[in-house]
Amino acid sequence: MKSIAQYKPYAPLAVMLLLAFSWAFNFHVPSPLNDAGLAQLEWLYLLDILLVLPAICFWAIGDKRTATLKALAYIALMLLIGSLIIPTEQQVLISQLSPLRYVVLAVILAIELFSIALVILAVKSALNAASDPDDALADAIAKLTHYQPLATLLSFDLRLWSYLLCHDSIQPQYYRGQQHFSYHNKDGCRDNTLGFIVIIAFELPLMHLLLHFLWSPLAANIISGLTLLILLFFIAEYRALAKRPISIDNQQLIIRYGLYPSLSIDIANIASITPNSQFIPRSKHAKRYNLSGTPNLAIELKQPIGDTRQVYLGIDQPERLIHAIACQQANGAQN
């Protein structure tokens, strides 16, 4: 069971939602708390978002830089919410402060872009030195934040940009491991990804024009922007599939698959690794690393990793990995 301290990072979001719902109720539902709807004080709302929210952020988040950015983001969001939930005739201060949310968001975006630019430069330098790309990302992100959910999100995001901008500097042999195993040729996995890229790139301008003239320019811009992000993801994924291998390193099986987070399994924790030809449904106890067809390897764990008890892989030469695991387990038993 998690301790209370482990929930502290979620406190600012919980408090923001509580404030938003309670103030929406206060401004729109007469009750004894607001003198039957007569005492709806805008300045109390501003005190909550300008004092209470930042105080909760600094209490819950140890890193002051992250706490400051989160406090600014929550204030900007609450100013937007305030402009929506406070009746127009009662908006005095909020109407003057609302435009500041754009300034705050612009400052946050500029800071984050600058930080990401520095990280990408650091990662590119590490890649040029032929070090493990995942380790280079982890070291760079550790300098930005120690908050695990944010670190996981940044890791995925920066891995995407690394393969978009620095893919020529990344080679499979740079990753940790004495043996590497590929998966990009299995059931035309990489070719299918290329097909998605071609289809999205072809339909993007056509769909933008149709939405622009048949619906609205704003909807066209939003949908085209989201589609462009999907296109960038598929391009990075296409490049990562051939260069980010599954590896065996120091009695560990390191599962890397495309852009997704890696999973390390102690080889001593593998109860069995067998061929598979069956469809594997989604399950909270099973992880599937496979993009085309059905996984061709099934790994049963002796001890679960979190909720994971089985891991299913789709790789190019399953028999080679089975043999390598068997050899590692035999060597481990002898030692």
Side-chain angles (χ1 to χ4, degrees):
M1 183 178 294
K2 290 186 176 181
S3 65
I4 294 177
Q6 290 177 291
Y7 290 101
K8 280 179 66 176
Y10 304 100
L13 177 60
V15 171
M16 188 203 75
L17 293 174
L18 177 63
L19 289 175
F21 282 112
S22 60
W23 277 107
F25 179 86
N26 178 78
F27 282 114
H28 293 278
V29 180
S31 71
L33 295 176
N34 58 21
D35 195 17
L38 298 176
Q40 297 180 342
L41 302 177
E42 178 194 34
W43 63 271
L44 283 177
Y45 177 84
L46 291 175
L47 282 180
D48 272 347
I49 67 174
L50 296 176
L51 294 180
V52 175
L53 264 180
I56 294 295
C57 286
F58 282 99
W59 168 77
I61 302 170
D63 182 59
K64 301 306 179 188
R65 176 184 173 278
T66 303
T68 301
L69 289 177
K70 283 205 169 189
L72 290 174
Y74 284 137
I75 288 172
L77 185 56
M78 288 299 285
L79 286 173
L80 173 62
I81 292 173
S83 67
L84 298 174
I85 66 175
I86 299 176
T88 305
E89 63 275 8
Q90 297 181 28
Q91 293 185 24
V92 180
L93 297 173
I94 200 89
S95 62
Q96 303 297 319
L97 292 176
S98 288
L100 290 177
R101 66 178 182 266
Y102 300 111
V103 177
V104 171
L105 292 175
V107 170
I108 293 174
L109 181 61
I111 292 173
E112 290 303 314
L113 288 176
F114 180 71
S115 299
I116 290 174
L118 291 179
V119 169
I120 288 177
L121 289 175
V123 170
K124 185 169 178 59
S125 176
L127 293 178
N128 289 335
S131 61
D132 186 300
D134 283 358
D135 290 345
L137 282 176
D139 292 342
I141 291 169
K143 298 176 183 177
L144 288 178
T145 181
H146 296 288
Y147 180 47
Q148 191 55 45
L150 180 60
T152 301
L153 178 62
L154 279 176
S155 178
F156 179 83
D157 192 42
L158 291 175
R159 192 155 45 243
L160 184 150
W161 287 106
S162 295
Y163 275 99
L164 281 175
L165 303 177
C166 313
H167 68 283
D168 289 336
S169 302
I170 303 174
Q171 299 301 328
Q173 61 268 25
Y174 293 169
Y175 285 92
R176 285 188 296 111
Q178 288 84 43
Q179 299 181 69
H180 298 301
F181 305 86
S182 66
Y183 46 85
H184 61 283
N185 292 317
K186 191 256 179 188
D187 292 330
C189 169
R190 197 162 181 251
D191 292 337
N192 290 340
T193 305
L194 180 60
F196 281 116
I197 292 172
V198 173
I199 291 171
I200 294 172
F202 178 76
E203 66 87 25
L204 179 58
L206 299 177
M207 185 60 66
H208 180 84
L209 290 175
L210 285 174
L211 292 172
H212 181 90
F213 291 109
L214 298 180
W215 190 4
S216 77
L218 177 60
N221 290 335
I222 293 173
I223 294 176
S224 294
L226 294 174
T227 305
L228 181 59
L229 290 177
I230 294 172
L231 177 62
L232 293 177
F233 165 78
F234 274 112
I235 293 173
E237 178 84 344
Y238 175 78
R239 292 171 172 175
L241 287 173
K243 293 193 172 185
R244 197 162 177 256
I246 296 169
S247 306
I248 291 178
D249 179 63
N250 295 330
Q251 290 297 314
Q252 275 198 328
L253 174 64
I254 305 172
I255 300 174
R256 312 179 188 93
Y257 220 89
L259 296 175
Y260 294 99
S262 60
L263 175 68
S264 296
I265 302 173
D266 289 333
I267 290 178
N269 192 32
I270 296 177
S272 65
I273 176 169
T274 56
N276 176 75
S277 58
Q278 303 297 317
F279 170 76
I280 305 300
R282 291 184 181 275
S283 168
K284 70 175 184 177
H285 299 302
K287 282 188 179 292
R288 302 180 302 178
Y289 295 89
N290 184 71
L291 294 179
S292 296
T294 58
N296 52 21
L297 275 182
I299 299 175
E300 188 78 26
L301 301 180
K302 295 178 181 177
Q303 298 293 329
I305 301 174
D307 291 329
T308 303
R309 298 173 184 169
Q310 299 93 23
V311 178
Y312 296 93
L313 297 177
I315 70 172
D316 293 340
Q317 297 176 308
E319 66 285 346
R320 180 169 164 251
L321 181 59
I322 292 174
H323 176 72
I325 295 293
C327 291
Q328 290 288 329
Q329 288 180 327
N331 291 336
Q334 290 176 0
N335 295 333

